[in-house]
Amino acid sequence: MIDIHGGSKDPRAAKLSNFADRLFMFDGVACAGIEGILQALKEPDAIKQTSICALRGKAAKKAGNGLNDWKESQTLWWKGVPYKRNSRSYHMLITNIYNAVYEQDSTFKEDLLAVELDDICHSIGNPDQRDTVLTEVEMIHQLNRLRLRALRSKSSLPSRKPTMDNIPKYRGVKKDGDPVEFLQRHYVDWITLDLLTQVKLRHHDEKLLNAIKYKTRNEGMKLADVVPPGINR
């Protein structure tokens, strides 16, 4: 198991940390690393966001430490647009950020390939979505999907339509934890390829769909913010 964090003695783990230098542009804003733009999402002022995006590693982390007002409303920001923390639109924003890094910084692909097929984790990550802009599960999801993309690119593996045959059924909060995190952990390929819909999830695991529906309703959100309605296709 490779534990991803900036202070790791394993260079493979340190390079995949959000503290690593990554030069890329996102939505017209110059970024010096993933940590910078993640911390910038806490800042509602677009001009101040740009300054935070230009920071690296620990400096970026420090800049975001005092920006905690978002926790009360569970709202993050990008260029003046609000994003509910547990919404599908926020998840897609994070996905697009990681995509931008992958597509613009060639070393990111190399660093992903360096871990080969080893299991990865981020043990120092905060598991509570209400208290962090990126949980361990969310971070590992992004790294795993891009590692799969890099491996396919390297070996010219054909893209295959994912199957739900081996995805476990949700057993409830006590046994499997937060239903949205369970979804993101086990339906990586479906989410990445934008194939997951409420229709398909209901067919495979109605209990999980109902748990997500209950959670989103209690938090003043819509089920469609997490799982699009869609049609069977």
Side-chain angles (χ1 to χ4, degrees), residues 29-33 35-43 45-56 59-64 67:
V29 177
C31 303
E35 187 66 25
I37 191 169
L38 291 179
Q39 295 298 331
L41 297 176
K42 302 175 181 178
E43 173 57 66
D45 186 289
I47 295 177
K48 292 180 180 179
Q49 271 192 336
T50 300
S51 298
I52 299 174
C53 286
L55 299 176
R56 295 177 170 85
K61 181 72 172 180
K62 183 177 180 180
L67 301 174

Side-chain angles (χ1 to χ4, degrees), residues 15 32-33 54 78 82-83 98 102 110 122-123 126 130 140 147 149 160 182 186 189 214 221:
K15 288 179 180 179
W78 179 247
Y83 290 83
Y98 272 85
Y102 181 88
E110 295 170 4
H122 180 54
S123 64
N126 189 333
R130 298 163 298 180
I140 297 304
R147 174 168 56 165
R149 181 174 168 183
R160 294 176 296 175
F182 181 89
H186 293 287
D189 287 347
Y214 179 79
M221 296 166 51

Side-chain angles (χ1 to χ4, degrees), residues 164 195-206 209 212-213 222-232:
M164 292 186 179
L195 293 174
L196 187 65
T197 66
Q198 293 175 27
V199 174
K200 292 178 179 177
L201 187 57
R202 181 180 294 109
H203 180 74
H204 179 72
D205 193 343
E206 188 170 5
L209 182 66
I212 296 172
K213 184 186 300 183
K222 296 179 180 178
L223 176 61
D225 289 334
V226 179
V227 185
I231 57 174
N232 258 326

